[in-house]
């Protein structure tokens, strides 16, 4: 089976004054196409750093980071910033803990943003269909500030799914939600991703969210495995 993500001997550290903090040490990871992975671990264990590295937002100290997207292999650690941005924009979806909606855009404009950035003018109907499926049919013209936290995160998930990207990353997507909204958002995320055959990596503290994934790995285990 083809792997979407292949990470080999990955190392990442940060400098805090005179102290070097090793976040990821000798990490190895392979995730098959269409599989869902929950990444767990305490705060500071490197969950968000790992997602940001896979998204091409953070550089690595050493190691290989390869992704197989739309039938092409990319060595992220070898791409320049412009190439990583283009790859992320066209082939990846990202759901953030704090929604990351554009406050000056309406709900439907936020969901349609990936299409606009990719010069796809054929997805307006798809954006509206997603919003209807997510229980937001009557919120198209609302602005994010008037939405509840659960509604904002549903908009964020719809935006990430719009282009049906082969790789979807979610960083604590239910971290700011109550139990009912967390369950709804997790269901929308995993059910839609599986229906579309997307590969999903979710960083989470929630056992309930992690139990929905095909695999669950703890950052401590990942780091230890490669050390």
């Amino acid at each position: 089976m083809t792997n979407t993500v292949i990470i080999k001997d990955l190392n990442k550290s940060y400098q805090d004054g005179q102290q070097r903090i090793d976040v990821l040490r000798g990490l190895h990871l392979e995730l098959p196409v269409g599989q869902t992975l929950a990444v767990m671990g305490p705060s500071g264990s490197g969950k968000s750093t790992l997602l940001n590295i896979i998204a091409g937002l953070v550089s690595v100290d050493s190691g290989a980071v390869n992704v197989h997207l739309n039938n092409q292999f990319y060595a992220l650690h070898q791409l320049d910033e412009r190439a990583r941005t283009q790859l992320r924009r066209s082939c990846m979806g990202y759901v953030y803990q704090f929604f990351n909606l554009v406050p000056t855009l309406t709900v439907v404009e936020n969901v349609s943003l990936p299409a606009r950035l990719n010069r796809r003018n054929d997805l307006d109907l798809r954006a509206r269909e997603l919003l209807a499926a997510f229980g937001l049919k009557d919120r198209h013209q609302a602005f994010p500030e008037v939405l509840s936290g659960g509604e904002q995160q549903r908009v964020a998930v719809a935006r990430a799914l719009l282009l049906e990207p082969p790789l979807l990353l979610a960083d604590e997507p239910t971290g700011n939600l109550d139990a009912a909204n967390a369950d709804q958002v997790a269901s929308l995320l995993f059910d839609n991703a599986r229906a579309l055959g997307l590969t999903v990596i979710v960083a989470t503290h929630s056992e309930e969210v992690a139990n929905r994934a095909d695999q669950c790995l703890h950052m401590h285990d990942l780091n230890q495995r490669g050390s």
Side-chain angles (χ1 to χ4, degrees):
M1 180 180 291
T2 303
N3 293 310
T4 301
V5 178
I6 306 170
I7 293 174
K8 296 181 179 179
D9 198 24
L10 178 64
N11 295 282
K12 178 63 181 178
S13 62
Y14 292 102
Q15 201 69 30
D16 183 11
Q18 298 298 315
Q19 182 182 13
R20 191 184 80 168
I21 300 174
D22 292 317
V23 181
L24 301 172
R25 293 181 292 114
L27 187 149
H28 295 265
L29 174 64
E30 295 187 7
L31 185 61
V33 169
Q35 292 288 294
T36 57
L37 172 70
V39 180
M40 300 191 75
S43 297
S45 62
K47 299 188 303 297
S48 295
T49 298
L50 176 60
L51 262 63
N52 287 332
I53 286 172
I54 295 171
L57 292 167
V58 172
S59 62
V60 302
D61 297 340
S62 62
V65 183
N66 302 305
V67 292
H68 182 207
L69 304 172
N70 290 341
N71 297 317
Q72 294 191 55
F73 274 101
Y74 301 90
L76 283 177
H77 55 290
Q78 296 177 353
L79 299 181
D80 61 25
E81 184 175 352
R82 181 175 181 179
R84 292 196 305 270
T85 298
Q86 182 57 40
L87 181 62
R88 183 169 56 250
R89 182 179 292 176
S90 60
C91 295
M92 300 182 189
Y94 209 122
V95 181
Y96 299 85
Q97 178 178 357
F98 296 103
F99 322 132
N100 205 32
L101 302 179
V102 181
T104 56
L105 298 182
T106 64
V107 163
V108 71
E109 288 170 339
N110 266 284
V111 174
S112 299
L113 188 57
R116 298 286 180 251
L117 293 173
N118 284 280
R119 302 179 185 275
R120 293 282 305 274
N121 298 319
D122 58 321
L123 293 174
D124 287 349
L125 178 59
R126 171 63 174 160
R128 294 176 180 275
E129 288 174 344
L130 277 171
L131 286 171
F134 284 21
L136 296 165
K137 183 177 181 180
D138 298 327
R139 306 295 260 166
H140 287 182
Q141 299 306 316
F143 288 93
E145 64 180 8
V146 303
L147 303 182
S148 68
E151 288 175 326
Q152 289 190 60
Q153 196 60 300
R154 278 183 274 158
V155 173
V157 172
R159 179 182 60 188
L161 290 167
L162 180 68
L163 297 178
E164 299 182 8
L167 177 60
L168 194 152
L169 307 170
D171 190 3
E172 296 287 356
T174 64
N176 287 321
L177 306 179
D178 60 35
N181 277 303
D183 184 67
Q184 182 180 34
V185 166
S187 294
L188 289 169
L189 177 64
F190 281 100
D191 292 350
N192 279 274
R194 285 197 172 100
L196 295 169
L198 312 183
T199 305
V200 180
I201 303 177
V202 179
T204 183
H205 283 96
S206 168
E207 292 284 353
E208 290 78 10
V209 172
N211 287 337
R212 294 175 180 269
D214 299 318
Q215 303 179 49
C216 182
L217 294 173
H218 289 264
M219 289 304 300
H220 173 74
D221 296 334
L222 285 170
N223 282 313
Q224 286 295 107
R225 189 172 301 168
S227 60

